[in-house]
Amino acid sequence: MNTALSWIKAYVPELVCTDQEYCDAMTLSGTKVEGMERLDKNLEKIVIGQIKTIEKHLDADKLIVCQVDVGAETIQIVTGAPNVKEGDKIPVVLDGGRVAGSAHSDGPLPEDGIAIKAGKLRGVPSNGMMCSVEELGCDKAMYPDAPEYGIYIFPEDAQVGADAIEAMGLKDTIVEYEITSNRVDCYSVLGIAREAAATFGKPFLMPEVEIRKEHGKIEDYVSVEVQDKDLCRRYCGRVCTDITIGPSPRWMQRRLAASGIRPINNLVDITNYVMEEYGQPMHAYDLDTIAGHKIIVRRAKDGDVFRTLDGQDRNLDSEVLMICDAEKEIGIAGIMGGENSMITDEVKTVLFEAATFHGANIRKSAKRIGLRTEASGKFEKGLDPGNAEAAINRACQLIEELGCGRVVGGMAEDGASLPPLREIPFEPERINRFLGTEIAREDMLKIFKRLELGYKEEENLIVVPSFRQDLEGFADIAEEVARFYGYDKIPSTLPSGESTTGRLPFKLRIEEKARDIAEHWGFSQGMSYSFESPKVFDKLMLPKDSILRRTVTISNPLGEDFSVMRTIPLNGILTSLSVNYNRRNKNVRLYELGNIYLPHQIPVTELPDERMQFTLGMYGEGDFYTMKGVIEEFFTKIGMKKPAVYDPEGGKPFLHPGRQARICYENVEVGYLGELHPQAADNYGIGTRVCVAVLDMPEVTRFATFDRKYTGIARYPAVSRDISMVVPAAVLAGQIETMIRQRGGKLLESCHLFDLYEGAQIREGYKSMAYSVTFRAQDRTLEEADIVGVMKKIINGLEHMGIELRQ
C-alpha cells in the first residue's frame, strides 16, 4: 500500500512532523512503514521561467538560444528541446542546482542526482537548464500532459519565479506500508489517515460527501436483484447522466500517480480514486448497454465463456459469481468488467457499482480464471459491507464537483441486511494484567475515542465500528490499548500464570507423569490405530450385548479391519505383544496413551465421548503384583494420597477370573488390571501369561494434584508394633489395611504386610498374615499408654472382621 503523505495530511490537517518522525511513529503504533521516497529528492534551485525570445544557434542547427525570465533576472539558456516556443513557462534549473537524472538515460537515476553548472554549448554561454519530467525524476504516468520528448510546459497561470517543484506537486513523500490481511480498513487512504490521527493525537476529518443537485429517480433507470446472497452480501448501484469524458484535474492525477495508478480520464480516474480513498473497488457500466436496465447478481453456469475488458476469453464454472443484465453476463464480480459493457468516449449514462462480495470466493475465482486485479486483491480480504454506500456516494459527489455529469436521485440496492455492530466487554483491570501496565480507565477510553470505537457506559461495552472487522475479542481490544499507549512505555514485567511460564496444562502434566513412571519401570511406548475391526470384540470374548460393541462406524473406511472407532484400548497393545512374542522376544513391556470413542447413542447424532486411556501390557518377568506396583507408584506421584481399593470382582471377560481387579479410588472406578484370560491370550497367539492394566485418565485426573506441603524431618522417634493374625481366606489384605488406617488415627504413620502363609500348619479356610505398624507423633515422644490405646482399637477392629491374633 503506497500513499502520498500530502493525501494523508488532507484528512489530518493538523499533522506536523518530519517524514522520519511520521514513519517511526506509524511503525511503532502498528502500521508498519516499509520505506519512503521523497519526490523532490535531488531537485534543487528549480524555478518557473518564461521564454522571452528564441534565436537559432549560429554553430549548431539543432540548438537554440533562449532568453528566459526567472523572476529575479533574465538568463540565457542554450537547449536542443524541439517543443518550446516564445511565451512558454517551463521548469528551469539555475546555476548550482541539481536534477534527478537525464532525459537521455534509460538506466536507474543517479544516487546523488546531477549537478548543473553554468557553461558554454558550442561556444555560447548557458546559465541554466530547462527540464523534462524525466529529469525531475518523474514520468508521463504522473504527468499525462507532458510531451513524449521535450521540456515540460506549465499552464499559463503559473507564476514566473515561483518554486517549480512545489508547483508540480513534487514537494511530497511517497510512503510504502506493510498492511496485514486482517486490517482491511488500512488498504485505503482514509484507513491510514485514521491510524495517523490516532497515533499523533490529531483530529481526523472525513470527506464531506454532499450531492447538491439530483434529478429523477433511480427506479426509472435501473433495478438490482441479488440471487446468490451468500456470495454477495450487498450490491449498491447509482446512475449518472449527461456524462462528459475528459481529463481529470491535476490534483487527482497526482494522487493517483503517487499510488501507482496511471490517470486515464475523469470517469475511470474517479472510480480508481474512490477505490484508493475508501478501499472500496468500484466499476462503471454504460447503462445503455445493459439489457432491460436490470442488474442480476448470480453464479455462472458450468462451461460458460466470457470476454473481459482486456479482450481475453475466460472459462467459467458455477463457483464464479457474475454481474448480469436481463439477457447476458456483463462482468465477473469483484474481478473485471466485460467487453460488452465497457465505457467508451460516447457514453452518456453511467451505472456505478459498489458491492461487497464473499472474499474467499473472489480469491478462488480469480485463481480459477487466471485473472487477479487490484479490485480482486481488496475484495478477497473481506470488505466492510457498510462501506459500499459511502464510496458510491463519494463517486457521485466527484462526478458533480468535476462537472462530469448529473446525478440521479436514490440508490438501487439488494443483498443481506447489514450485521449489527460487534460489542466487546470493557475490562480495564484485565487489560492491565494482560499488558503488565497501570493505564487508567479514562486513558483507555480516550484511546478508544481516537479510534472511533463507541462505548456504552451502562452496559460497559465497547462498540466496534463496521470498518474494524479485526476487533473480535478481549485480546484485540488490549492490543489497541497497547499500541496507542505506546509499546515503548510498557515496562518489563515477569511472566505470570501457567501458560506464560512454559508449563504444560494440568491434563498434559498428568500424562507426562504417566510416561515417566511407565518408562522407569521398563515399559516402552507404543502407538496403535484408533480405528479397528469389529472382530476385536470376539477376540476379547465380549458378550454380544456388551455396551463396548456400540461403536462409531467410519463412513469411508480403508477396509473392514479399520471400520469402527475403538471403544476399548487393549487390542493395540495385545497385537504388539503378540508380534513380539512370535518373534521370540522374552521380556516385553509396552504402554500407550490413546483415546477411546464412546458414542452417546446409536445411530450417532453427536460427537462421541473421547476418553484418554493409560494402557499397560507385559509378559515375561513380572506378574499381577508387579503391575499393581506400577499403578500405585503412578497414583503416589500424581498426589493421590489415599490408598486405592482393588476389587477382585472385576467382571472383565477377557481377564483371568481369579487374577483381576477393579481399581477404585474414593468409591469411583478409575480402571482395572489383571492377567489376560488364557483363551484371549490364545486368540492373540500369545503362549504365556500376559498382565494388563487400563486407567481411565479423565477419572484419574479428578483426584490428582501436584500441590505439596513441606513437613520437615521427623523430630521425634517412631514406635513399631508387629501384628500376626490368622485371617479367613475371604478377607482381603486391602480390607485389613483400610481398617488399620481408620483406627490408627493421626498417630499411625505406616503399615505394611511382611508375611503371608497358607499351608498345613494353618487350618483350612484361613491364612496367616503379619503386619508391621509404625506410630509417630509430630509434637512429642509417644508413651506406652498412647500405643496401647491405639493398638486396642486396631485389635477390636480385627476381631470384628473374624480375625484372630496368633499366640
Side-chain angles (χ1 to χ4, degrees), residues 452-584:
E452 300 183 36
L453 304 184
Y455 177 58
K456 290 184 177 181
E457 188 171 357
E458 293 183 0
E459 294 92 341
N460 193 36
L461 294 173
I462 302 296
V463 182
V464 181
S466 61
F467 61 81
R468 287 302 303 273
Q469 298 184 59
D470 60 303
L471 301 183
E472 299 180 350
F474 162 78
D476 301 313
I477 294 297
E479 182 184 15
E480 297 303 293
V481 173
R483 67 194 188 97
F484 288 106
Y485 172 73
Y487 290 120
D488 55 327
K489 297 179 184 178
I490 297 178
S492 298
T493 56
L494 292 174
S496 62
E498 266 191 24
S499 61
T500 57
T501 54
R503 297 175 64 186
L504 291 171
F506 185 74
K507 171 180 173 292
L508 296 184
R509 291 170 64 193
I510 299 296
E511 294 175 12
E512 183 180 52
K513 188 61 67 176
R515 293 187 186 92
D516 290 344
I517 297 300
E519 291 168 9
H520 171 74
W521 280 81
F523 288 79
S524 298
Q525 185 171 12
M527 295 183 68
S528 56
Y529 289 115
S530 295
F531 33 85
E532 54 193 17
S533 169
K535 298 176 182 177
V536 167
F537 305 127
D538 294 331
K539 293 175 72 174
L540 291 174
M541 303 187 302
L542 292 177
K544 296 297 183 183
D545 59 349
S546 172
I547 193 172
L548 296 177
R549 289 181 179 268
R550 300 172 67 243
T551 61
V552 177
T553 303
I554 299 172
S555 59
N556 56 341
L558 298 174
E560 184 183 3
D561 289 344
F562 305 97
S563 61
V564 298
M565 303 300 291
R566 65 182 176 187
T567 57
I568 185 170
L570 285 175
N571 179 64
I573 286 288
L574 293 177
T575 300
S576 297
L577 290 175
S578 174
V579 171
N580 278 275
Y581 177 79
N582 287 286
R583 292 184 179 178
R584 300 185 180 182

Side-chain angles (χ1 to χ4, degrees), residues 165-208:
I165 302 307
E166 186 171 356
M168 295 182 71
L170 292 176
K171 284 193 176 297
D172 204 350
T173 302
I174 305 301
V175 182
E176 180 185 358
Y177 308 89
E178 179 186 335
I179 308 298
T180 55
S181 59
N182 66 320
R183 288 303 305 272
V184 184
D185 58 305
C186 287
Y187 283 91
S188 67
V189 176
L190 290 178
I192 298 291
R194 278 194 187 95
E195 290 290 302
T199 298
F200 290 92
K202 303 298 183 181
F204 169 69
L205 303 180
M206 276 287 290
E208 294 185 6

Side-chain angles (χ1 to χ4, degrees), residues 214-354:
E214 296 180 337
H215 72 95
K217 296 181 180 179
I218 191 68
E219 293 83 1
D220 298 332
Y221 288 86
V222 72
S223 62
V224 172
E225 177 189 354
V226 177
Q227 294 183 358
D228 292 279
K229 292 183 172 61
D230 58 327
L231 300 184
C232 178
R233 298 178 62 183
R234 194 179 191 200
Y235 187 99
C236 300
R238 293 203 68 169
V239 173
C240 296
T241 63
D242 303 325
I243 296 297
T244 302
I245 299 294
S248 54
R250 290 176 181 270
W251 62 266
M252 181 176 286
Q253 292 181 14
R254 302 291 184 269
R255 288 180 175 179
L256 288 175
S259 298
I261 298 176
R262 182 172 63 89
I264 298 176
N265 59 49
N266 50 7
L267 193 58
V268 176
D269 290 352
I270 284 173
T271 59
N272 287 333
Y273 184 85
V274 173
M275 179 176 70
E276 291 300 303
E277 185 180 42
Y278 278 77
Q280 172 66 53
M282 294 184 59
H283 190 68
Y285 298 98
D286 185 342
L287 187 61
D288 294 332
T289 65
I290 298 178
H293 285 194
K294 183 174 183 179
I295 293 293
I296 301 173
V297 184
R298 60 168 176 80
R299 296 172 186 263
K301 297 176 182 177
D302 290 330
D304 283 355
V305 178
F306 180 72
R307 176 162 293 185
T308 48
L309 280 171
D310 57 2
Q312 299 294 316
D313 290 333
R314 310 290 177 178
N315 296 317
L316 310 176
D317 59 35
S318 59
E319 294 301 315
V320 179
L321 190 67
M322 301 297 293
I323 309 299
C324 311
D325 60 20
E327 299 176 355
K328 61 186 180 301
E329 296 90 349
I330 58 174
I332 303 177
I335 301 176
M336 185 176 282
E339 191 177 69
N340 56 7
S341 61
M342 66 183 298
I343 297 291
T344 64
D345 291 343
E346 288 73 35
V347 65
K348 296 301 179 185
T349 306
V350 165
L351 169 66
F352 279 123
E353 166 194 286

